[in-house]
């Protein structure tokens, strides 16, 4: 299916009508292509997109006439860019449509609506602020209406439901706002029964696919050889993450016995034990003077999450891991299918993490060599000894900051890679080359940290370094990073602050505006 070029508003509307008619009635393959064309049509024709609000209002008016849930979900998913370009003229109507579908009994409708309506948040400003606050008030009233009698502290402990979808949506709508910060303070009073469940790092999506069923059936139809290869690479991943987590706990002044107890608890209880463990060990780190800032606290959280993600889980058919199950659930949920060769998929996960370390080891070595060379040159040609000492002290301070960025940047890259595997497992699998995956991930980490801190954090590797590592002749492939990597990660990540090397340097810029 080819996209038809447009040169007038009438042609634009005609092409939009054609694409949405496919979403209403087409096959899965045609729907997939139509969505891609819509994602290109609207940004490429902004002068027509901004004047096409009445068209999308027509889609909304006729929405109930669409024949089944699958096509209704497809239409809502396809409305992402049309909704964005219609916000100025139709905010209230779009908000009404959103709230109506967030109450739908079918989780596919709710999830499609939640992702599409994320654009509503950019109107939390200026003349729309009052309308946006009213929208959030109505959302909170719906949450009260659908709330269970007993609410858990974390949303991850609630089964798929209207209430869970509403809470996930609420967190996406208020993240980073004063309302969010007030609620976080409010949540700390665990005796308060009227709180909104807190969003854990793995709670950013509601899936209508059963986790236990996917986990149990991963190896059910696979040959023993594939199963054995998969087990080998899962063990490699487990060993890699265990070593990294052990080193981090030792750096933060935890004893070997304390570290073993932490890891044993996580092995048994997995992600569910994470919040409790952090509540216990972060205060200990503060007392020992090893966790006195967000950089170290966030690094510990990333370590806990990585260990829980990659720890080996046994089922009746073979070995699995949490991140493998999450990736396969996402593939099933997005209907992109299970990989034919699961062992190769696991191998790619391992080798991609290994490649991150390979690049960062080279980057660390290059940084040290550059610093020593600058010191050597300065000492050779400097004049005043007093000036020499002052200048070297300045250089050492700058190098200390760069070294810190390299250290925490490595952790952020591993964290971003895990989110990429979970958010777009099909895209990850298609890339196929661990070094290319690493180049994309490190480009995303560099760009995101630079933009979100207004240049206060800058990783000094360049596009040539990444392209050479990825095996590309030029740097043009890295231009796809925003679409291939950044977008899926930011749409799923539980808390984007964990993608920052130093959250204390974050500007007021919102991650949704970055996206």
């Amino acid at each position: 299916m080819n996209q038809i070029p447009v040169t007038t508003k009438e042609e634009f509307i005609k092409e939009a009508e054609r694409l949405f008619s496919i979403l209403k009635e087409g096959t899965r393959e045609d729907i997939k292509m139509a969505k891609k064309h819509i994602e290109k049509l609207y940004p490429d024709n902004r002068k027509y997109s901004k004047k096409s609000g009445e068209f999308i209002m027509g889609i909304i008016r006729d929405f109930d006439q669409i024949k089944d849930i699958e096509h209704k979900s497809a239409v809502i998913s396809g409305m992402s860019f049309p909704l964005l370009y219609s916000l100025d003229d139709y905010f209230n109507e779009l908000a009404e449509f959103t709230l109506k579908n967030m109450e739908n009994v079918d989780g596919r409708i709710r999830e499609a609506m939640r992702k599409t309506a994320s654009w509503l948040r950019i109107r939390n400003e200026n003349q729309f602020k009052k309308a946006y606050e009213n929208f959030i008030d109505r959302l909170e009233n719906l949450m009260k209406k659908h709330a269970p009698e007993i609410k858990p502290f974390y949303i991850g402990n609630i089964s798929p439901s209207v209430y869970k979808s509403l809470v996930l949506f609420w967190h996406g709508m208020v993240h980073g706002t004063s309302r969010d910060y007030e609620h976080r303070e409010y949540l700390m009073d665990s005796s308060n029964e009227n709180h909104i469940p807190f969003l854990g790092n793995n709670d950013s999506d509601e899936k209508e696919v059963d986790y236990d069923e996917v986990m149990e059936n991963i190896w059910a139809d696979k040959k023993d050889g594939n199963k054995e290869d998969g087990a080998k690479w899962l063990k490699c991943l487990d060993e890699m993450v265990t070593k990294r987590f052990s080193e981090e706990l030792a750096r933060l002044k935890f004893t070997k016995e304390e570290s073993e107890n932490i890891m044993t608890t996580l092995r048994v209880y997995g992600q569910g034990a994470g919040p409790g463990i952090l509540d216990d060990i972060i205060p200990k780190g503060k007392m020992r003077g090893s966790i006195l800032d967000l950089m170290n606290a966030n690094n510990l959280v990333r370590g806990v999450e990585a260990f829980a993600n990659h720890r080996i889980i046994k089922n009746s058919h073979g070995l699995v891991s949490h991140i493998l199950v999450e990736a396969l659930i996402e593939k099933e949920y997005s209907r992109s299918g299970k990989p034919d060769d699961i062992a190769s998929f696991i191998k790619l996960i391992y080798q991609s993490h290994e490649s991150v370390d390979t690049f960062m080891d080279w980057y660390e070595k290059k940084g040290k060599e550059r610093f020593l060379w600058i010191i050597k040159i300065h000492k050779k040609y400097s004049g005043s000894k007093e000036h020499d000492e002052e200048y070297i002290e300045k250089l050492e301070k700058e190098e200390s900051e760069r070294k810190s960025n390299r250290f925490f940047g490595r952790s952020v890259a591993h964290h971003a890679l895990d989110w990429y595997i979970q958010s777009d497992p099909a895209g990850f699998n298609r890339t196929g080359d661990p070094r290319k995956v690493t180049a994309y991930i490190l480009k995303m980490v560099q760009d995101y940290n630079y933009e979100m801190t207004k240049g206060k954090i800058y990783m000094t590797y360049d596009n040539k370094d990444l392209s050479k590592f990825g095996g590309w002749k030029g740097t043009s492939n890295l231009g796809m990073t925003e679409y291939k990597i950044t977008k899926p990660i930011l749409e799923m990540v539980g808390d984007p602050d964990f993608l920052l090397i130093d959250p204390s340097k974050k500007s007021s810029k919102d991650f949704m505006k970055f996206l």
Side-chain angles (χ1 to χ4, degrees):
M1 181 177 66
N2 296 320
Q3 180 146 354
I4 298 172
V6 299
T7 56
T8 66
K9 181 184 175 183
E10 289 71 24
E11 290 177 352
F12 175 88
I13 296 296
K14 187 176 180 180
E15 176 64 356
E17 287 174 344
R18 183 181 75 87
L19 294 171
F20 269 91
S21 69
I22 294 170
L23 299 185
K24 291 177 183 179
E25 299 176 344
T27 64
R28 287 185 181 180
E29 192 59 38
D30 286 342
I31 286 171
K32 189 176 179 181
M33 293 303 297
K35 285 181 184 177
K36 287 184 178 179
H37 287 324
I38 291 169
E39 288 175 2
K40 184 171 175 56
L41 175 69
Y42 274 76
D44 286 357
N45 298 278
R46 294 183 183 183
K47 62 180 178 180
Y48 306 133
S49 302
K50 292 180 179 180
K51 299 175 182 178
S52 63
E54 187 52 40
F55 164 72
I56 209 64
M57 288 302 104
I59 297 289
I60 288 173
R61 283 191 293 270
D62 297 337
F63 183 75
D64 290 337
Q65 298 174 23
I66 299 172
K67 60 183 180 180
D68 55 42
I69 294 297
E70 186 172 348
H71 288 91
K72 284 183 175 180
S73 301
V75 168
I76 291 175
S77 295
M79 287 174 62
S80 181
F81 277 106
L83 183 148
L84 170 64
Y85 288 107
S86 304
L87 282 177
D88 286 352
D89 297 323
Y90 294 99
F91 178 86
N92 290 329
E93 291 84 351
L94 292 166
E96 185 71 35
F97 179 72
T98 296
L99 293 175
K100 177 184 175 182
N101 284 287
M102 288 304 298
E103 283 194 282
N104 196 291
V105 294
D106 194 288
R108 288 169 292 177
I109 294 284
R110 298 196 303 270
E111 186 66 5
M113 190 74 258
R114 184 172 75 85
K115 288 184 175 180
T116 291
S118 61
W119 290 120
L120 288 172
R121 193 184 157 178
I122 68 173
R123 284 298 172 260
N124 179 27
E125 57 189 31
N126 303 331
Q127 73 268 31
F128 289 97
K129 197 164 187 69
K130 188 173 181 180
Y132 189 81
E133 283 295 316
N134 179 58
F135 168 67
I136 296 300
D137 287 339
R138 292 182 63 196
L139 174 58
E140 290 174 354
N141 286 333
L142 288 181
M143 288 158 62
K144 290 176 185 176
K145 172 184 170 183
H146 292 279
E149 196 169 322
I150 299 174
K151 288 182 284 185
F153 194 75
Y154 284 93
I155 188 61
N157 297 326
I158 300 177
S159 299
S161 60
V162 171
Y163 178 67
K164 183 175 184 179
S165 294
L166 291 168
V167 174
L168 288 169
F169 186 50
W170 182 88
H171 279 289
M173 290 293 101
V174 304
H175 179 82
T177 66
S178 59
R179 199 159 184 150
D180 184 24
Y181 297 133
E182 288 167 10
H183 183 65
R184 289 184 185 216
E185 291 294 320
Y186 182 63
L187 275 169
M188 294 306 104
D189 180 6
S190 58
S191 65
N192 203 318
E193 297 177 357
N194 296 315
H195 73 268
I196 298 170
F198 189 62
L199 183 67
N201 287 329
N202 283 322
D203 296 334
S204 63
D205 258 333
E206 176 186 356
K207 299 291 189 297
E208 295 298 313
V209 182
D210 186 80
Y211 181 96
D212 293 332
E213 184 179 343
V214 172
M215 183 178 77
E216 192 63 30
N217 291 326
I218 284 175
W219 299 111
D221 58 348
K222 297 297 176 185
K223 294 179 181 178
D224 289 342
N226 191 264
K227 192 187 302 184
E228 289 168 6
D229 284 346
K232 180 183 77 173
W233 293 113
L234 282 170
K235 288 174 183 176
C236 288
L237 269 165
D238 183 271
E239 289 170 5
M240 173 192 287
V241 176
T242 300
K243 179 176 182 292
R244 209 165 68 221
F245 191 37
S246 298
E247 290 171 351
E248 177 63 7
L249 289 170
R251 186 184 74 85
L252 295 174
K253 300 181 181 178
F254 289 93
T255 66
K256 186 176 180 181
E257 183 181 359
E258 286 174 325
S259 298
E260 287 175 353
N261 288 337
I262 290 167
M263 288 188 281
T264 299
T265 303
L266 283 170
R267 282 200 184 280
V268 174
Y269 297 105
Q271 278 69 14
I277 286 174
L278 291 167
D279 285 346
D280 179 51
I281 64 178
I282 286 180
K284 287 181 181 177
K286 288 180 179 178
M287 289 174 61
R288 295 169 189 181
S290 59
I291 305 177
L292 298 177
D293 55 38
L294 271 175
M295 291 175 78
N296 284 289
N298 278 9
N299 213 49
L300 177 60
V301 174
R302 287 190 291 264
V304 166
E305 188 167 331
F307 185 85
N309 269 334
H310 294 286
R311 81 192 197 284
I312 287 176
I313 305 168
K314 293 181 180 179
N315 67 19
S316 57
H317 296 291
L319 303 182
V320 299
S321 68
H322 175 75
I323 197 167
L324 177 61
V325 178
E326 285 292 330
L328 296 182
I329 286 176
E330 179 63 26
K331 282 182 72 64
E332 187 170 337
Y333 182 79
S334 61
R335 296 182 174 84
S336 54
K338 190 160 69 171
D340 293 329
D341 188 344
I342 293 179
S344 294
F345 184 73
I346 301 168
K347 179 182 178 181
L348 181 60
I349 295 174
Y350 170 74
Q351 291 183 332
S352 296
H353 277 288
E354 188 178 46
S355 288
V356 168
D357 284 331
T358 299
F359 183 91
M360 293 305 290
D361 287 345
W362 169 83
Y363 179 46
E364 178 72 26
K365 182 181 177 183
K366 181 184 177 184
K368 288 179 181 177
E369 289 174 350
R370 178 181 178 277
F371 172 68
L372 293 174
W373 179 81
I374 291 173
I375 294 292
K376 181 180 177 181
I377 294 298
H378 177 73
K379 285 182 176 180
K380 185 175 181 180
Y381 295 105
S382 64
S384 164
K385 185 177 180 182
E386 184 179 344
H387 177 264
D388 186 56
E389 290 175 353
E390 288 179 2
Y391 186 69
I392 289 177
E393 185 178 341
K394 177 175 175 288
L395 289 176
E396 286 174 342
K397 184 178 179 181
E398 290 172 351
E399 174 58 17
S400 176
E401 187 169 338
R402 283 192 293 268
K403 185 177 179 181
S404 177
N405 286 347
R406 293 194 295 265
F407 176 79
F408 291 107
R410 182 190 297 249
S411 167
V412 169
H414 283 296
H415 185 69
L417 174 56
D418 278 344
W419 274 113
Y420 176 50
I421 293 163
Q422 294 173 84
S423 63
D424 187 14
F428 169 74
N429 201 37
R430 280 194 302 272
T431 302
D433 184 336
R435 293 173 76 92
K436 286 181 170 58
V437 171
T438 294
Y440 282 131
I441 288 293
L442 290 170
K443 175 64 174 170
M444 180 263 175
V445 170
Q446 182 186 54
D447 288 351
Y448 186 73
N449 276 269
Y450 183 83
E451 290 291 333
M452 294 300 291
T453 64
K454 292 186 176 178
K456 292 177 184 174
I457 296 178
Y458 182 65
M459 303 293 278
T460 55
Y461 51 75
D462 59 27
N463 286 353
K464 287 183 180 179
D465 295 330
L466 295 176
S467 295
K468 183 179 178 181
F469 188 80
W472 295 302
K473 291 182 179 179
T475 61
S476 60
N477 285 280
L478 292 171
M480 299 169 66
T481 301
E482 185 175 351
Y483 179 75
K484 283 177 65 73
I485 309 292
T486 309
K487 190 173 185 291
I489 289 176
L490 291 186
E491 284 179 345
M492 181 177 271
V493 68
D495 188 341
D497 280 2
F498 288 102
L499 296 172
L500 291 174
I501 291 167
D502 185 355
S504 68
K505 293 180 179 177
K506 183 174 71 169
S507 72
S508 59
K509 186 172 185 178
D510 187 89
F511 89 102
M512 280 300 294
K513 289 186 179 179
F514 174 85
L515 174 61

